[in-house]
Amino acid sequence: GENVEQHPSTLSVQEGDSAVIKCTYSDSASNYFPWYKQELGKRPQLIIDIRSNVGEKKDQRIAVTLNKTAKHFSLHITETQPEDSAVYFCAASPETGGSYIPTFGRGTSLIVHP
Amino acid sequence: DVKVTQSSRYLVKRTGEKVFLECVQDMDHENMFWYRQDPGLGLRLIYFSYDVKMKEKGDIPEGYSVSREKKERFSLILESASTNQTSMYLCASTSPGMGRDYGYTFGSGTRLTVV
């Protein structure tokens, strides 16, 4: 099955700095890579996703890059703000009958200091 | 606009009890999932279901079972609760082939403590 490694487990930055979270996956059949943000005491929420036919995707201050050859993908947050503080999860999944069953990384706790 | 509802936010049960965790979604999604979330271990899939009365084992099904009698409801059952099942349990749903909605909608979670 799929195995997803996520680094770092904790990331501390100053407000305004950039933050990068990296993930690697093992199953070359994986073709959908979502990222979830979970604020303290709240449910995980999808913030951005990328499919394997795209190398990069941006949405305002967040971007995700994918390198299928190396089997790694990354989340980039620019101009970080205190409200970006949360646990971020990457995931990778192959498509099975039109559905995706993602395998999650262990999470990165991002702390943005004002 | 809560779309995936878990019946309990906090539960305390005794070792050996049978425990039911309920999840209801109002988005007419076909697929429903149960995860447990533990610090440092991320989200681990327990069971999932593609349709009514269908169920598939995830990565850690031991000690759990599920029931899906109606499309909108997916129940997780701990047949005989043990202390190592103390965890946060998250339900999620999605529907296949809906573009960006491949992403999950999660419930708020049930924090279960087994004493």
Side-chain angles (χ1 to χ4, degrees):
Chain A
E2 178 62 275
N3 182 50
V4 177
E5 299 283 341
Q6 182 172 350
H7 299 281
S9 57
T10 305
L11 180 58
S12 183
V13 300
Q14 290 295 129
E15 183 177 359
D17 289 350
S18 295
V20 180
I21 302 170
K22 298 181 179 181
C23 291
T24 60
Y25 62 99
S26 61
D27 188 350
S28 58
S30 286
N31 57 6
Y32 176 64
F33 306 91
W35 286 87
Y36 289 83
K37 174 184 180 182
Q38 186 177 28
E39 297 176 27
L40 189 63
K42 297 189 176 180
R43 70 190 77 191
Q45 292 195 304
L46 179 70
I47 55 170
I48 194 168
D49 55 9
I50 191 168
R51 297 174 65 89
S52 59
N53 57 350
V54 175
E56 183 176 1
K57 185 176 179 180
K58 291 183 179 180
D59 184 359
Q60 299 183 342
R61 294 186 297 107
I62 61 173
V64 58
T65 58
L66 171 66
N67 183 326
K68 281 217 73 178
T69 303
K71 295 198 188 74
H72 66 72
F73 56 113
S74 301
L75 179 72
H76 304 253
I77 306 174
T78 58
E79 300 172 23
T80 54
Q81 301 168 4
E83 52 265 38
D84 295 328
S85 295
V87 177
Y88 291 81
F89 293 97
C90 65
S93 54
E95 179 179 359
T96 305
S99 295
Y100 290 86
I101 311 295
T103 299
F104 287 85
R106 296 191 174 196
T108 296
S109 178
L110 174 64
I111 303 166
V112 180
H113 299 280
Chain B
D1 61 337
V2 175
K3 298 177 179 177
V4 178
T5 303
Q6 294 183 231
S7 55
S8 303
R9 189 79 171 103
Y10 298 95
L11 273 179
V12 180
K13 297 292 182 179
R14 294 194 181 277
T15 300
E17 276 194 79
K18 190 169 186 177
V19 181
F20 292 86
L21 303 184
E22 305 288 345
C23 176
V24 177
Q25 50 94 5
D26 64 0
M27 296 170 288
D28 201 35
H29 282 170
E30 285 83 2
N31 303 338
M32 297 187 74
F33 309 82
W34 276 105
Y35 286 84
R36 64 177 283 176
Q37 182 176 18
D38 300 288
L41 296 179
L43 298 161
R44 293 181 292 166
L45 182 62
I46 305 171
Y47 266 98
F48 61 100
S49 169
Y50 286 129
D51 202 350
V52 175
K53 296 193 185 296
M54 288 184 62
K55 60 183 180 183
E56 298 283 346
K57 292 180 180 179
D59 298 320
I60 53 164
E62 296 77 20
Y64 304 94
S65 62
V66 290
S67 173
R68 193 161 180 206
E69 296 296 320
K70 294 184 178 181
K71 186 177 184 179
E72 67 271 18
R73 186 180 297 270
F74 192 36
S75 303
L76 180 68
I77 304 158
L78 286 67
E79 295 290 343
S80 178
S82 64
T83 55
N84 63 10
Q85 292 178 311
T86 291
S87 187
M88 170 68 84
Y89 291 87
L90 287 164
C91 175
S93 72
T94 189
S95 204
M98 288 181 65
R100 193 171 188 273
D101 286 340
Y102 289 123
Y104 287 172
T105 300
F106 281 94
S108 295
T110 296
R111 183 164 295 283
L112 173 66
T113 302
V114 183
V115 297

